[in-house]
Amino acid sequence: MSDEILSAVLIAILHQKQIYHKPVFLKLPADVPIDKLDEIISFAWRHHIDGFIATGPTQDRSLLIHSAETEIKQAGAGGISGLPVIHKSIEVVRYLSAHAPKEMLIIGAGGILTPLEATSMLKAGAHLVQIYSAFIYEGPGIVKRIAEACNP
């Protein structure tokens, strides 16, 4: 995306934030290079972004260590989410927690399927966790199990 388009989108989002008084979060991909995070943090801070969602899907097929080659080909070219991205997500959350201004909220996402991953994400520095795949595969009861594990 060009800088001009990105600037126009950002201006529109921030205008909506002012009208509706809603926080704005920047969702980062699991493939974000760690050496680019300082630049992303600075950009987000300059533009009054409230925090980050770390992370979304990855394109890294090498993480599918339990899948046969035919299964990987059948999955197609889309992003991979769920458990395969947990380590990348935790790494990004840990970096953001150590380097982003404390006023910026960090939502840990990507690969949280059990209370163990949720707890690991919180220990890495996430203020909140977001689940998606866990909710689909485990049903709504996973929310209670994660909440109980994270708040004994």
Side-chain angles (χ1 to χ4, degrees):
M1 186 179 293
S2 75
D3 288 344
E4 294 83 24
I5 293 172
L6 184 59
S7 293
V9 169
L10 185 59
I11 289 168
I13 289 170
L14 294 176
H15 179 68
Q16 292 298 313
K17 177 182 175 176
Q18 290 172 345
I19 292 172
Y20 297 109
H21 307 288
K22 302 290 183 190
V24 174
F25 294 89
L26 182 60
K27 187 165 189 176
L28 301 173
D31 298 327
V32 64
I34 295 296
D35 64 349
K36 296 290 184 191
L37 285 175
D38 285 332
E39 184 179 334
I40 292 168
I41 292 167
S42 293
F43 173 87
W45 185 250
R46 258 190 336 270
H47 294 286
H48 309 285
I49 303 296
D50 296 288
F52 301 97
I53 301 172
T55 66
T58 180
Q59 296 296 317
D60 186 356
R61 297 293 196 257
S62 71
L63 299 175
L64 298 174
I65 58 174
H66 298 292
S67 301
E69 188 66 34
T70 55
E71 292 175 309
I72 295 171
K73 286 181 182 177
Q74 285 177 334
I80 299 166
S81 60
L83 194 56
V85 301
I86 187 67
H87 297 295
K88 286 185 173 203
S89 295
I90 287 174
E91 181 182 14
V92 172
V93 165
R94 189 172 286 121
Y95 191 93
L96 291 171
S97 179
H99 295 91
K102 298 302 174 204
E103 298 85 354
M104 297 183 93
L105 194 67
I106 301 168
I107 301 172
I112 301 171
L113 294 176
T114 69
L116 176 65
E117 289 94 24
T119 302
S120 296
M121 193 66 79
L122 293 170
K123 285 181 181 176
H127 298 103
L128 301 167
V129 296
Q130 172 188 307
I131 60 169
Y132 184 79
S133 297
F135 196 73
I136 292 169
Y137 292 115
E138 299 295 325
I142 190 64
V143 175
K144 182 178 180 185
R145 289 194 301 278
I146 288 174
E148 289 173 347
C150 294
N151 299 300

